[in-house]
Amino acid sequence: MEDIALLIDLHRDAKRQGPGGDDETRLSISLSGLRDAKGLKIADIGCGTGASTLVLARELDAAVTAVDFLPDFLHQLEIAATREHLDQRIETRVASMDALPFEYESLDAIWSEGAIYNMGFAEGIKAWRRFLKPGGILAVSELTWLTRDRPEELDRYWMQEYPEVDTASAKIAILEQNGFSPVGYFPLARHCWLDNYYRPMQARFAAFLSRHDNSDSATAIVAAEQEEIALYERNAAYVSYGYYIARRVSE
Ligand code: SAH
């Protein structure tokens, strides 16, 4: 089985496919200043099975378009949306984040948790900006150094996996250089990684390995995840996802 099919199989039944939390999505909503707005049009890019999409649809008077390039994940979101009677507010779209199916200046807000790294932070915000109305909100979470200096093993790992990892001040500068005005930042706390993402994933490993007869590829995926988890546990003081909320400067 291809690695992508294995990754889908490992992550499809999860609530989240990356670190995050419902409270943290709600905090980003509060910081966005959109709570009292009516008739919003919002996109949630790289939504996975839609943990943040469901919060947005619950909390805001909004039509939310949930975009991911994996139909299997969107299918899980559709089931959850129907169960919660949110299906009138949530539309799913299979699309790539570098070719979004929106009209220019049509969206009040773009949310994206733990996904913009697939394009790269700078490329992503440059590409997505045109879909926001002037004054529209961008809310993204992105791998972020919490300190200026870090242990070498952590630096080496993430510089190889994602060379764009940087401090919040550097990420905010990129937003400012690309026509955004920062309105809020907070780092995700450890429970967003451990309780909400890594522990539930670890609980799925045994069944995952047995579904795939301990194949070399499945075993390698589990080993790589365990390595990343152990590295995080040793270094949680130095790295997290930062949540960045910014407004498109109106020209
Ligand atoms: N936002 C979700 C999922 C984060 S994982 C959560 O926080 O739980 C990253 C997601 O981005 C995955 O669902 C993956 O399928 C999606 N993705 C990766 N590359 C993509 C691309 N080029 N276009 C659209 N979605 C992509």
Side-chain angles (χ1 to χ4, degrees):
M1 198 183 250
E2 300 257 349
D3 268 14
I4 182 76
L6 286 171
L7 287 167
I8 293 168
D9 183 64
L10 177 61
H11 290 285
R12 183 184 38 219
D13 295 329
K15 178 171 175 197
R16 339 189 135 263
Q17 288 70 39
D22 288 0
D23 286 343
E24 287 69 19
T25 305
R26 281 191 281 272
L27 178 54
S28 72
I29 292 172
S30 297
L31 290 168
S32 76
L34 294 176
R35 279 205 179 278
D36 297 326
K38 300 280 174 238
L40 294 168
K41 280 193 171 29
I42 299 180
D44 186 357
I45 314 293
C47 62
T49 57
S52 56
T53 316
L54 293 164
V55 175
L56 289 163
R58 248 183 249 135
E59 303 274 327
L60 291 171
D61 181 356
V64 186
T65 306
V67 178
D68 204 284
F69 73 168
L70 294 179
D72 289 10
F73 288 172
L74 293 176
H75 182 62
Q76 298 299 113
L77 170 57
E78 285 158 14
I79 293 169
T82 304
R83 190 173 54 231
E84 288 199 40
H85 306 292
L86 291 169
D87 43 323
Q88 297 299 312
R89 291 177 167 219
I90 294 174
E91 184 194 352
T92 60
R93 287 291 283 271
V94 179
S96 184
M97 60 175 71
D98 54 15
L100 291 174
F102 302 111
E103 309 228 336
Y104 289 178
E105 305 199 346
S106 66
L107 298 171
D108 296 290
I110 292 177
W111 251 264
S112 181
E113 294 194 355
I116 197 171
Y117 74 89
N118 288 293
M119 277 186 79
F121 185 77
E123 280 310 303
I125 62 170
K126 281 182 211 173
W128 297 352
R129 183 177 185 276
R130 59 182 65 107
F131 301 110
L132 286 171
K133 297 176 186 171
I137 290 287
L138 178 71
V140 293
S141 70
E142 160 80 346
L143 195 74
T144 297
W145 295 135
L146 302 181
T147 54
R148 197 192 60 170
D149 302 308
R150 280 103 26 206
E152 207 251 325
E153 63 159 0
L154 183 71
D155 212 78
R156 197 170 359 100
Y157 178 84
W158 282 117
M159 288 305 282
Q160 178 164 338
E161 292 294 314
Y162 185 53
E164 266 193 72
V165 57
D166 214 332
T167 53
S169 55
K171 296 289 173 189
I172 289 171
I174 292 171
L175 286 163
E176 290 167 341
Q177 285 151 15
N178 289 285
F180 285 95
S181 176
V183 301
Y185 161 76
F186 60 93
L188 296 187
R190 292 178 196 203
H191 68 89
C192 295
W193 292 73
L194 295 172
D195 301 343
N196 298 353
Y197 181 53
Y198 283 150
R199 297 288 176 253
M201 191 198 314
Q202 287 175 313
R204 296 191 303 273
F205 283 157
F208 170 73
L209 288 169
S210 104
R211 275 199 301 282
H212 300 287
D213 296 324
N214 294 293
S215 73
D216 289 349
S217 314
T219 306
I221 286 175
V222 169
E225 295 287 6
Q226 294 283 39
E227 188 199 343
E228 186 186 301
I229 294 168
L231 183 79
Y232 176 77
E233 287 172 332
R234 288 194 298 273
N235 292 290
Y238 305 100
V239 68
S240 191
Y241 269 78
Y243 219 126
Y244 299 85
I245 299 95
R247 184 181 308 285
R248 178 179 165 168
V249 175
S250 30
E251 357 0 83

